[in-house]
């Protein structure tokens, strides 16, 4: 049986007519860049996250960047994040002129190891960006307590966590600002590129909206040097439709994960993800850990099972960041995860037969 890693067509087909009609409404209104469809999505997404505001932007990288710019992060500053994340988290820091400073992840939740946070804080630290990797929240209460003690704002990288919860509170409402990606493959994905930034703070909301709009509050009057980071109307319309079904889709992902948990238990050499008691994860990725991963992937592919690696190289070891001077051994948990992570097929429409085929293939290869 063929099991794709992700099947967007299976996800979109049941809603295709409704989404196409929403797109036509944008065309009828000529509301292509920013505009009323974006405003409507912003209100709906803020409500979904339990925040006062959402600023719709062009992608998740811009969301992180504008969040940091709004907090006045710039050259000479440091921003703390984790090395086990998508490159964009660090890129957004670098594009403010600040320096990324890494704290390793902890091995159970794959999120920022709060016990190592305080040692990384210096007088230059201007923000902390925990990453809710794979849709599982970082341990926010102790993290926020340390941040508050030092007066440092927290920006959640919630790009993989649309609808995830921490002790019942939604991702994006936990820090000062939440940054989301709506890249097509994310749990809430556009039909193109999009992102969003959530906050309760009206001043931060205004500043982020200004940066996305060429630094202007009033058209052609530019207070600061900004950027073209608007969300486009068609993406907002698509997202507004898909948002209505997100909670259900996340619940289906959790069911898929529970099925994997049962079927994969006890396979030698396979370590399964174990959510923390505080978490309600949304399984953007279902990542197991396995030694010999690189040899296993083509053998699974030969059995029709597509897999992925998120991520094979931690950010501190990326060539692009060679100048930061980090070395292998600096963040051992992130490095061990990069060597052993294997992302299994995961999407809401994955069938029981497909889940069983994945488990059968893994058992045949490892058992
Ligand atoms: C996807 C992602 C981003 C970047 O989002 P884009 O919309 O692709 O720019 C940032 N951080 C993490 C953790 C992501 O997964």
């Amino acid at each position: 049986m063929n099991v794709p890693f992700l099947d967007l067509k299976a996800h979109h087909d049941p809603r295709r007519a409704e989404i196409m009609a929403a797109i036509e409404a944008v065309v009828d209104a000529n509301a292509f860049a920013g505009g009323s469809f974006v405003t409507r999505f912003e209100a709906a997404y803020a409500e979904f996250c339990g925040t006062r505001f959402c600023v719709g932007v062009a992608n998740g990288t811009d969301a992180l960047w504008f969040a940091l710019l709004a907090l006045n992060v710039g050259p000479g500053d440091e921003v703390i994040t984790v090395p086990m994340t998508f490159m964009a988290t660090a890129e957004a820091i670098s594009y403010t002129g600040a320096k990324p400073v890494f704290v390793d992840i902890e091995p159970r939740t794959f999120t920022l190891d709060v016990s190592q946070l305080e040692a990384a804080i210096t007088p230059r630290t201007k923000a902390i960006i925990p990453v809710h990797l794979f849709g599982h929240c970082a341990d926010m209460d102790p993290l926020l307590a340390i941040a508050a003690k030092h007066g440092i704002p927290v920006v959640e990288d919630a790009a993989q966590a649309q609808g995830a919860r921490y002790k019942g509170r939604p991702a994006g409402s936990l820090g000062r600002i939440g940054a989301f990606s709506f890249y097509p493959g994310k749990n809430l994905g556009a039909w193109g590129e999009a992102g969003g930034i959530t906050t309760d703070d009206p001043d931060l909301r205004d500043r982020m909206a200004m940066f996305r709009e060429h630094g202007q509050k009033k058209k052609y009057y530019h207070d600061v040097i900004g950027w073209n980071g608007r969300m486009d109307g068609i993406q907002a319309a698509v997202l507004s439709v898909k948002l209505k079904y997100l909670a259900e889709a996340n619940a289906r992902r959790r069911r898929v994960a529970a099925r994997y948990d049962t079927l994969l238990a006890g396979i030698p050499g396979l370590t399964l993800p174990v959510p923390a008691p505080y978490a309600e994860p949304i399984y953007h990725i279902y990542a197991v850990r396995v030694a010999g991963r690189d040899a296993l992937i083509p053998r699974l592919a030969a059995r029709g099972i597509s897999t992925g690696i998120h991520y094979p190289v931690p950010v501190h070891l990326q060539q692009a960041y060679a100048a930061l001077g980090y070395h292998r051994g600096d963040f051992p948990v992130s490095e061990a995860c990069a060597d052993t992570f294997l992302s299994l097929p995961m999407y809401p429409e994955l069938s029981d037969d497909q889940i069983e085929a994945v488990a059968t293939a893994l058992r045949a290869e490892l058992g």
Side-chain angles (χ1 to χ4, degrees):
M1 180 184 288
N2 264 333
V3 187
F5 179 67
L6 174 65
D7 187 347
L8 282 178
K9 190 166 158 39
H11 186 53
H12 289 137
D13 272 351
R15 314 281 175 219
R16 194 186 179 105
E18 189 180 0
I19 295 173
M20 293 305 277
I23 291 174
E24 289 204 7
V26 178
V27 176
D28 288 340
N30 292 312
F32 295 110
S36 61
F37 290 84
V38 172
T39 309
R40 239 172 292 159
F41 172 72
E42 288 172 336
Y45 197 70
E47 189 185 341
F48 180 82
C49 292
T51 56
R52 286 183 67 193
F53 308 105
C54 170
V55 178
V57 294
N59 56 65
T61 312
D62 278 357
L64 287 161
W65 187 36
F66 298 156
L68 294 174
L69 290 174
L71 292 167
N72 288 311
V73 174
D77 296 337
E78 296 174 356
V79 176
I80 293 173
T81 192
V82 289
M84 178 43 68
T85 181
F86 180 57
M87 183 69 173
T89 319
E91 282 175 321
I93 297 167
S94 296
Y95 264 71
T96 66
K99 184 177 131 186
V101 171
F102 298 110
V103 168
D104 209 354
I105 56 171
E106 60 96 22
R108 263 170 48 93
T109 63
F110 314 132
T111 59
L112 194 145
D113 185 344
V114 180
S115 73
Q116 299 187 42
L117 175 58
E118 205 146 24
I121 293 175
T122 76
R124 293 169 184 267
T125 309
K126 286 290 157 56
I128 301 167
I129 311 183
V131 178
H132 303 322
L133 196 72
F134 306 154
H136 182 296
C137 285
D139 194 359
M140 291 300 286
D141 279 348
L143 187 152
L144 289 166
I146 292 169
K149 182 175 137 195
H150 294 270
I152 302 167
V154 172
V155 175
E156 298 168 68
D157 184 338
Q160 305 186 0
Q162 306 92 345
R165 285 174 183 266
Y166 175 82
K167 299 181 183 174
R169 287 132 61 196
S173 73
L174 304 165
R176 282 283 291 284
I177 302 177
F180 290 88
S181 164
F182 306 120
Y183 179 78
K186 300 286 159 76
N187 288 37
L188 178 60
W191 283 11
E193 304 274 352
I197 330 170
T198 50
T199 188
D200 285 331
D201 183 326
D203 294 330
L204 287 174
R205 186 259 159 223
D206 288 349
R207 284 177 59 76
M208 296 190 293
M210 188 172 68
F211 281 113
R212 111 182 128 174
E213 197 79 48
H214 297 292
Q216 61 192 2
K217 282 191 199 122
K218 186 174 157 200
K219 202 169 170 87
Y220 303 130
Y221 293 80
H222 306 270
D223 298 2
V224 295
I225 298 169
W227 195 249
N228 176 357
R230 290 182 294 261
M231 179 183 275
D232 83 57
I234 286 179
Q235 301 313 330
V238 171
L239 289 167
S240 291
V241 174
K242 290 188 66 180
L243 179 59
K244 295 191 288 175
Y245 306 105
L246 177 59
E248 177 197 326
N250 283 342
R252 289 176 73 162
R253 284 176 185 263
R254 274 194 291 275
R255 237 173 293 147
V256 172
R259 203 74 200 109
Y260 274 143
D261 290 345
T262 305
L263 293 174
L264 301 177
I267 296 182
L270 203 62
T271 307
L272 306 184
V274 181
Y278 64 67
E280 191 178 311
I282 58 161
Y283 293 100
H284 173 59
I285 299 285
Y286 185 96
V288 298
R289 292 185 59 186
V290 58
R293 182 237 5 239
D294 291 341
L296 178 61
I297 288 174
R299 296 209 305 271
L300 291 172
R303 293 174 183 270
I305 311 299
S306 301
T307 54
I309 304 174
H310 303 88
Y311 296 91
V313 181
V315 177
H316 70 286
L317 298 180
Q318 293 287 354
Q319 163 118 46
Y321 279 121
L324 290 179
Y326 287 111
H327 300 287
R328 183 164 268 277
D330 288 339
F331 303 104
V333 180
S334 293
E335 292 164 16
C337 284
D339 292 341
T340 56
F341 266 158
L342 177 68
S343 307
L344 302 185
M346 172 52 82
Y347 51 92
E349 294 74 23
L350 208 60
S351 71
D352 283 348
D353 286 352
Q354 289 176 309
I355 299 167
E356 265 162 47
V358 174
T360 303
L362 280 166
R363 208 169 276 282
E365 292 296 343
L366 298 171

